[in-house]
Each structure stands twice: as C-alpha cells, then as structure tokens.
Amino acid sequence: MAEVDVAFVQPLEHRPKPNNTTEMESGIPVIDLYQSSISIDVQTEIVSKIGNACRDWGFFQVVNHGVPCELQQRVDATVGKFFGLSPEERRKVKRDETNPLGYYDTEHTKNVRDWKEVFDFTVKDPMVLPAASCQVHDQNYELHELRNQWPTYPTEFREVCEEYAKAMEKLSFKLLEIMALSLGLPEKRLNGYFDDEHTSFIRFNHYPPCPVPHLALGVGHHKDSGALTVLAQDDVGGLEVKRKTDGEWIKVMPIAGSYIINIGDIIQVWSNDAYQSAEHRVVVNSERERFSIPFFFNPSHTVMVKPLDELINEQNPAKYKEYNWGKFFKTRKISDFKKLDVENIQVHHFKESD
C-alpha cells in the first residue's frame, strides 16, 4: 500500500467505501432559472421548485443562471495556471492564522487533514472580522481587517477573480430572494443582512490524484456554516451529499454549465429548521486531479443569527438561540489550521433545549 501521512486517514466510519454511493439521474434537483423569462407562472414554478429542493435535499443544481460561460472558462483556466506554478511560487501568497487568505495546503475538516490545496480570497477587500483572540461568547471584541493576497502570476489572476466575484454575488442575491419568497417572505427580506461588509469569500480547490482514495477524503463530511454556497465543479466530479431520507451518500454528477447550490446553517436557523443544511463530502480520485470553485455567501460580521420573527409562533417556537455571525465564523476558522482537542463550534451548540 502507498505510504500516506496518518493525518489524512479518516476514521473507519467515515472512509469512502467502494460502490457505497448511489448515482441517480433523478437525485439532486436540476432547476432551470429561465433568466430571460418574465412570466409570473414560470417564476412561481421556480420558487416552488427551489423551496422543495431546500426542504428535501438542501442541495440543487441550476442552469440558465445568467453567468457567462466565457467568464467561467477564463476562471477555470486561471485556476489551472495558478496551481500549475511551482510550490515555491504558490507559497509566496501562503496564508496563516493572522491573515487566513491566500494559498494553503494543510486544511483540516473535522480535525482530519483534507487531500487538497486551496486559494481563498474575499469579495469585500478588506474583509472585517473579530480579532483572532475573540471567543464566541465575548460581549465586546476588537475588529481585524483581512486583506487579499494576489500572486504575481498568472498576470490576469486578480482581474479575473474580481470579475467572477461580482457575478457570483449577483447570482447569490437572486437565489437568496427566491428562497425568501419560497418561505413566504418578501423578496428582499434577507438582503439587508448582506450589506457592504458581508463576509463572503471564494475558494479555489485543487485535489491532486490520491494513492489511497479508500482512506482519505478531499473534504471530510461537514455542513456549511454560512448562508448558501454556489459551487462550480469540473467534469471529474467527487462531491457527495448525504440523502436525508436514508443517509445514503449520493454523487452529484457534473453538468456542463451548471452551478451546485447548497444552503448553509444560517438559512437553517433563519427558517427555524424548515430548510436544513445537508451533510456533504468530497471523495478523491486515484488517477485524475480535480478542481472546484465554491463561493460562500455570508452575511456581515455584525449580524445576529436567529429564527426569523415571521416564521415562529406559539405552535412553532424558536429552535435556536441567537449568535453573532462574526464571532462564530472566526471561531470556526481556527480549526482550518490545526487539529483541535475538541469538536469545533457548530450550529447545534445553539439549539434550544426541547
């Protein structure tokens, strides 16, 4: 067997098993956003489909989303060029605990090292977060500015990244508004949480071929802590979603020109569990490298996350205590850099007692 650092080895119960995932053409919903259509009937149908997908899966794919294919192709090419640079060149923009933006190759999920390398940058530059010393229960805290690190090569890297960030931000607001409507809320009810200081960021993932795909994962099982994620993946595939009905791992098959959308824990809390985030992971390939690009749509650090007043009542009381997103996000970030002795902060820690 190939030698592999034990830091990559998943616990036995979380290791991918051959033929233990299910491919279903009728699995994760594929929704046509009909961007050019203004028909009320069509828009009502889209709202219904996305609401059902959020409730039943927490995941769906969108086509006809309005993001130019040419832009995605330029981004894909730029990502390939960056990860094709020498390790020394990539590490010139290496991130650390002080500024967790840029290149990194020792990411951890659930305290196990992921088989991948990443590059992170924010939509808002600088991005404001609580200082590193802040704890999730602090009443007062200092703020810290995080600034993007841009590599010298490829020369078009920053320009392409910033153009892509604007396109992802536009699509994310559109999806957020549809989700609000699907919950019976006004279209722009949630937009205010994503002001000029929203903490959204983009990650470029590179998964090299792995000699032990039965022991390691590209990303371990987890749920996203933000509001929603917009993912572009290449034709290699590897994303798997745990189906809510039976706990089976379902492969999300690549569809050219589509984006994969999943709701995060914030939508789960806002909806008071009407919509629930789904557990997912990334399996690795022993022969082919894989690239993926998630856009994490997150609110401002000042936002207090709690069930929305319009969605709770005496028969459906709030299921979560409120928490500050900035402090939560900062605390979660710590576990990306090192293995912790305890489970990192999770949204279920704010669950109200039954």
Side-chain angles (χ1 to χ4, degrees), residues 84-114:
L85 297 172
S86 68
E88 293 76 20
E89 193 68 29
R90 297 197 301 275
R91 289 178 184 136
K92 287 181 179 178
V93 287
K94 187 173 182 179
R95 71 187 199 180
D96 55 33
E97 290 186 50
T98 302
N99 185 23
L101 299 174
Y103 174 75
Y104 206 58
D105 60 358
T106 53
E107 183 100 344
H108 288 72
T109 302
K110 301 288 187 180
N111 284 330
V112 180
R113 187 172 167 185
D114 298 328

Side-chain angles (χ1 to χ4, degrees), residues 31-44:
I31 299 172
D32 192 327
L33 290 185
Y34 302 104
Q35 286 285 345
S36 61
S37 175
I38 58 174
S39 164
I40 294 177
D41 290 341
V42 168
Q43 294 300 325
T44 300

